[in-house]
Amino acid sequence: MRAYGGYIVLIGIGVLVAIYVAFQSFFTSFGFDLPKDEEQVGMEDQIVIKFSHVVAENTPKGLAASRFADLVDEYTDHRVKIEVYPNQSLYSDHEEIKALQKNKVQMIAPTTSKITNMSEKWMLLDLPYIFPTDEALQEALNGEVGDELLNHLHEVDIKGLAFWSNNFKQITSNDPIRHPEDFAGKNFRIMPSPVLESQFRQFGASTSRLDFNDTFKSLEIKNTDSQENTISNIYSKKLYEVQKYLTISNHGYLGYVVMMNQSFWEELPVDIQQQIQRAMDDTTAWLWDKSKEMNENQLHEIEQKSNIEIYTLSEKERKEWMEAMTDIYPEFESTIGKDLLDKMERLRDKYIE
């Protein structure tokens, strides 16, 4: 009898489910707020944005991309899904910008040096010691200088959303580098940038343009013997395992510009644009502190787990590097634009002690 009663209950539940499915639209037309499965809701209408980048997930950029994706999902109530493809899983350094312009991906976050091929004004950010402090960097990128650079991307059908910082660059090599003359004869892996080529040529070093993910192998087999990078990138790619010396110089900025295909952006509903930008602004603010914290913590870990010799430039040595490196500024004045370079140099002088 008890089993018979159980069958009756199961049949009743089945009938109710059938009625619910068959008449769902009928119920909602009368204002009933029916439960929703967010995995199924609006799948046909959900906007999918592919976000490709070339570094590991445990780097400042990798963490920021994941955080941004989560915030977009939250702020748009699941209407937009950011699919993050890290570590060159979709496109390499030299492929991703073309992929963006062809809308094969909708978002990328390349290093600012990569943009110099499209806009020579962006060479400004590669100039050595153009940002003497973190405060100078933030004022520039969050102010008129940053706005001018982002707006310039419209000419190549790209929407610039934000600058993501990965802090300052340091030097690694197989020989100690403490003075400008120590650069002579070295071969540095660099990102594609005329400014970076000139920076090392100024000191008698040669350069090799290589994708980031090829750097470890090149150093390991000694095709190159030196490189410049942030601590987080040196740590994530274990470059400290194939280099003997690390010089803390803070001589250059390494950051990323988060970009979207302009045509794709313009087709998005205005409210979606607003929520994406909101998520981007919140992620960017979080990253300023996070990248600095990560670089400091990972420098400590490198000290603990490796045999690389770490040397921090003294104030006198730093000024020596700065005076020698900034000699290349006039070479790029006409390329960058005198007005923009003058604006940045005035801001720079404000923060030089």
Side-chain angles (χ1 to χ4, degrees), residues 50-245:
K50 293 182 179 180
F51 187 170
S52 172
H53 66 81
V54 302
V55 300
E57 293 171 284
N58 63 339
T59 60
K61 179 164 67 172
L63 293 173
S66 296
R67 185 181 183 88
F68 170 70
D70 290 341
L71 289 179
V72 168
D73 180 66
E74 176 187 343
Y75 292 172
T76 65
D77 193 24
H78 317 296
R79 291 169 63 196
V80 178
K81 180 181 181 181
I82 306 292
E83 293 182 349
V84 180
Y85 297 89
N87 218 18
Q88 204 170 264
S89 56
L90 274 187
Y91 295 102
S92 66
D93 269 347
H94 65 275
E95 296 171 331
E96 60 180 6
I97 291 177
K98 288 184 179 179
L100 180 76
Q101 290 177 311
K102 293 179 179 179
N103 203 35
K104 292 182 178 179
V105 292
Q106 290 70 53
M107 290 186 72
I108 60 173
T111 57
T112 57
S113 297
K114 301 291 192 314
I115 310 305
T116 58
N117 291 328
M118 297 189 299
S119 173
E120 292 179 329
K121 286 181 178 292
W122 283 72
M123 292 183 189
L124 175 77
L125 303 185
D126 280 339
L127 290 173
Y129 290 112
I130 195 68
F131 305 112
T133 66
D134 189 62
E135 291 76 18
L137 175 64
Q138 292 199 44
E139 183 173 340
L141 297 189
N142 295 330
E144 291 181 22
V145 170
D147 288 343
E148 183 171 340
L149 292 173
L150 291 178
N151 289 336
H152 203 62
L153 294 175
H154 291 181
E155 297 178 9
V156 288
D157 196 31
I158 288 175
K159 167 68 176 177
L161 292 171
F163 291 96
W164 280 0
S165 177
N166 190 4
N167 219 259
F168 292 104
K169 292 185 288 188
Q170 321 302 341
I171 296 287
T172 68
S173 184
N174 288 329
D175 295 300
I177 296 181
R178 299 182 181 180
H179 304 281
E181 57 266 27
D182 296 333
F183 285 85
K186 304 292 188 299
N187 182 263
F188 275 80
R189 175 270 169 181
I190 63 166
M191 295 176 287
S193 167
V195 173
L196 300 182
E197 290 178 352
S198 181
Q199 167 185 286
F200 290 113
R201 188 173 62 243
Q202 172 85 356
F203 291 156
S206 59
T207 57
S208 298
R209 295 185 177 192
L210 292 173
D211 284 353
F212 176 58
N213 283 350
D214 295 332
T215 303
F216 181 95
K217 186 66 175 178
S218 179
L219 293 170
E220 184 180 40
I221 65 177
K222 295 182 170 52
N223 279 351
T224 53
D225 54 45
S226 309
Q227 64 90 45
E228 60 169 7
N229 234 308
T230 60
I231 291 298
S232 68
N233 284 347
I234 293 169
Y235 178 84
S236 69
K237 290 299 181 184
K238 299 184 178 181
L239 303 183
Y240 56 83
E241 293 184 353
V242 288
Q243 297 274 260
K244 296 178 181 178
Y245 297 92

Side-chain angles (χ1 to χ4, degrees), residues 41-56:
V41 169
M43 289 298 104
E44 293 181 0
D45 299 325
Q46 189 180 52
I47 299 168
V48 176
I49 297 175
K50 293 182 179 180
F51 187 170
S52 172
H53 66 81
V54 302
V55 300

Side-chain angles (χ1 to χ4, degrees), residues 129 169-171 247-252 311-313 318 321:
Y129 290 112
K169 292 185 288 188
Q170 321 302 341
I171 296 287
T247 302
I248 305 300
S249 56
N250 292 332
H251 65 280
Y311 181 79
T312 301
L313 293 181
R318 185 172 180 269
W321 282 40

